[in-house]
Amino acid sequence: MAKLYVAVVFAFIAAVVIVITGLSSDARLITVFFRSIVGFVSAGLIVYMVLRILAANDIMDFDDFIEAKDEEALAEVEGAEPSAADDEAAEGEQPEADEAEPAETGEPAQFEPLSSEELTRMDSPQ
């Protein structure tokens, strides 16, 4: 399925480039439209065929690559304990004692609207 996604992405990029160049060269809109459709289909088919050939010759198979990444990620989630890098990242995310929010201190957060006396007024330069 990854081969199809890659082919569609490259085909879309090709169609966008064709539309931009067609509009910048003052071509008719119907001509730009048909050229972009032909470019989309041909670029998509070429990329898909190249990816199929690469997979058939065992050079690079994107589907196996993505499945392997998914399996590695699943294994990490199921049986991984927090590592030292994860602990350091968690320590960096915790706020300081000075930055404690009202919800953390046990006090309920209350809404207090601003009054005109609390606003800072700025004078414009003369």
Side-chain angles (χ1 to χ4, degrees), residues 85-94:
D86 292 339
D87 292 338
E88 291 174 9
E91 288 175 7
E93 293 174 1
Q94 295 177 356

Side-chain angles (χ1 to χ4, degrees), residues 121-126:
R121 304 268 184 211
M122 299 294 289
D123 292 331
S124 60
Q126 298 288 331

Side-chain angles (χ1 to χ4, degrees), residues 10-97:
F10 276 95
F12 180 74
I13 291 170
V16 168
V17 168
I18 291 170
V19 168
I20 290 172
T21 56
L23 293 177
S24 67
S25 66
D26 296 330
R28 292 186 300 179
L29 290 178
I30 195 74
T31 304
V32 172
F33 176 72
F34 284 124
R35 284 182 183 176
S36 65
I37 289 177
V38 170
F40 180 84
V41 171
S42 61
L45 286 175
I46 289 171
V47 169
Y48 186 73
M49 288 187 321
V50 167
L51 292 177
R52 290 290 301 245
I53 291 170
L54 289 174
N57 291 333
D58 291 330
I59 296 172
M60 180 66 174
D61 191 5
F62 288 100
D63 291 330
D64 292 340
F65 181 71
I66 290 177
E67 288 175 6
K69 286 287 190 183
D70 289 343
E71 290 172 3
E72 289 174 9
L74 187 60
E76 281 184 19
V77 169
E78 288 178 349
E81 294 182 11
S83 64
D86 292 339
D87 292 338
E88 291 174 9
E91 288 175 7
E93 293 174 1
Q94 295 177 356
E96 297 289 327

